[in-house]
Amino acid sequence: MTAEEKKLAESLLCRPFPPFSGLLPGESGDDGEKIQISGVTAFLFRGSGKERAVILNAHGGGFLKGRSIRDAVWCRYAAAHTGCDVYDLDYALTPDYCFPAAVEQISSAAKELAGGHRIILAGHSAGANLALSAAMFYGVRPAGILADYPPVDAAKDFFAGVPEEKLERARVEKLYFDLYCGDADPEDPRISVKYAAREDVERLPQTLFIAGELDSLRDEVVSFAEFCDKECRVFRDSPHGFTTNRYGAWKEALDCQMSFLCRIK
């Protein structure tokens, strides 16, 4: 890592998430019940207690930043609207833990939960990358996957065709993947799921991809969903992270997410 990249990484770690003001009337930002799954801390948001299916959620944050109120709000909403218990895993983060620490933790937690439940994986941004990789390469067999705007290609040219005003965002996206990869090959399909073979994507269960119209990752998400022959919804006027940050068409996307989860639970 260059001195400039190290400085950027440190600034990202110190940079707080934007203020969250998306709570609906009657919603709570309180966190879930702190528990352990496969030796990793998770937060449990209880559903109705009547569903056999459970949801394992993998938060976003570029493999670098941890959980926030956004994740608690999404998990609590999903538990209330699907009736399923939702487990939000506080998985290992870079730069302290590079690939494959996070995906191995997601996979171990999913397998433990699957011992007595029908498991559904949900992931947002980096978390969606982890959910897809777990299902394709780590023996996790979920009933379905909700994949919000996953980054799928760590080996691409992050700066090709990027206008000057968006170069900083491109540098951040590249750094997220560089830190996650560590010494691993960025074209390893367990990291860059874009490079998965046909037999790998055939392991995916029913999957819903979500993308934002204004997201720099939109085209690669749509292309990968087409390669996987899976459903992909693109929401208008919506940037990266819109479903958990509650920007753009988040209400429409949230309805779509809950409909999908209820259909496969």
Side-chain angles (χ1 to χ4, degrees):
M1 185 187 303
T2 67
E4 182 180 359
E5 289 172 335
K6 184 176 180 181
K7 184 177 180 180
L8 179 56
E10 290 172 347
S11 72
L12 289 171
L13 281 170
C14 296
R15 187 184 303 173
F17 285 104
F20 182 77
S21 57
L23 286 177
L24 296 171
E27 273 193 314
S28 169
D30 293 344
D31 217 340
E33 175 187 345
K34 190 174 182 179
I35 62 170
Q36 294 284 310
I37 308 174
S38 292
V40 180
T41 297
F43 294 83
L44 169 59
F45 300 81
R46 295 190 182 276
S48 64
K50 300 177 182 179
E51 298 292 341
R52 180 170 176 266
V54 299
I55 299 169
L56 178 62
N57 185 63
H59 64 79
F63 311 102
L64 174 73
K65 303 185 81 169
R67 301 172 63 256
S68 74
I69 184 176
R70 294 154 179 74
D71 307 296
V73 169
W74 189 91
C75 290
R76 190 175 297 282
Y77 189 96
H81 285 76
T82 66
C84 299
D85 287 350
V86 180
Y87 297 82
D88 194 24
L89 198 69
D90 196 14
Y91 58 81
L93 301 172
T94 64
D96 295 327
Y97 300 95
C98 299
F99 170 81
V103 68
E104 288 183 344
Q105 289 183 348
I106 293 288
S107 301
S108 295
K111 290 174 183 177
E112 180 173 318
L113 290 172
H117 304 280
R118 179 178 171 85
I119 182 82
I120 299 168
L121 299 181
H124 316 276
S125 191
N129 172 291
L130 299 174
L132 293 166
S133 183
M136 286 192 286
F137 302 110
Y138 289 86
V140 177
R141 296 293 177 261
I145 300 175
L146 172 62
D148 282 0
Y149 32 82
V152 301
D153 188 1
K156 68 181 181 181
D157 182 349
F158 284 82
F159 306 108
V162 176
E164 184 174 355
E165 64 270 17
K166 295 185 178 180
L167 283 176
E168 181 181 0
R169 176 62 192 176
R171 282 193 290 269
V172 169
E173 290 176 359
K174 182 177 186 301
L175 181 64
Y176 282 151
F177 255 137
D178 286 348
L179 290 172
Y180 180 56
C181 288
D183 296 328
D185 181 356
E187 291 190 8
D188 186 326
R190 297 172 298 171
I191 296 171
S192 295
V193 294
K194 172 185 175 179
Y195 299 99
R198 175 60 60 187
E199 58 265 29
D200 299 324
V201 301
E202 287 176 352
R203 298 189 189 102
L204 292 175
Q206 189 171 355
T207 301
L208 173 63
F209 288 88
I210 298 284
E213 181 186 33
L214 305 181
D215 190 352
S216 61
L217 301 182
R218 179 197 62 202
D219 291 346
E220 63 187 72
V221 172
V222 171
S223 178
F224 184 65
E226 289 176 351
F227 176 67
C228 298
D229 194 24
K230 301 298 183 184
E231 180 182 4
C232 182
R233 292 285 307 275
V234 179
F235 290 87
R236 69 191 187 286
D237 300 326
S238 299
H240 190 75
F242 74 102
T243 60
T244 50
N245 287 306
R246 294 188 167 180
Y247 302 147
W250 69 269
K251 289 183 179 179
E252 183 183 351
L254 192 61
D255 288 344
C256 179
Q257 291 174 331
M258 296 305 119
S259 176
F260 172 75
L261 292 172
C262 288
R263 190 166 72 243
I264 63 173
K265 67 182 182 179

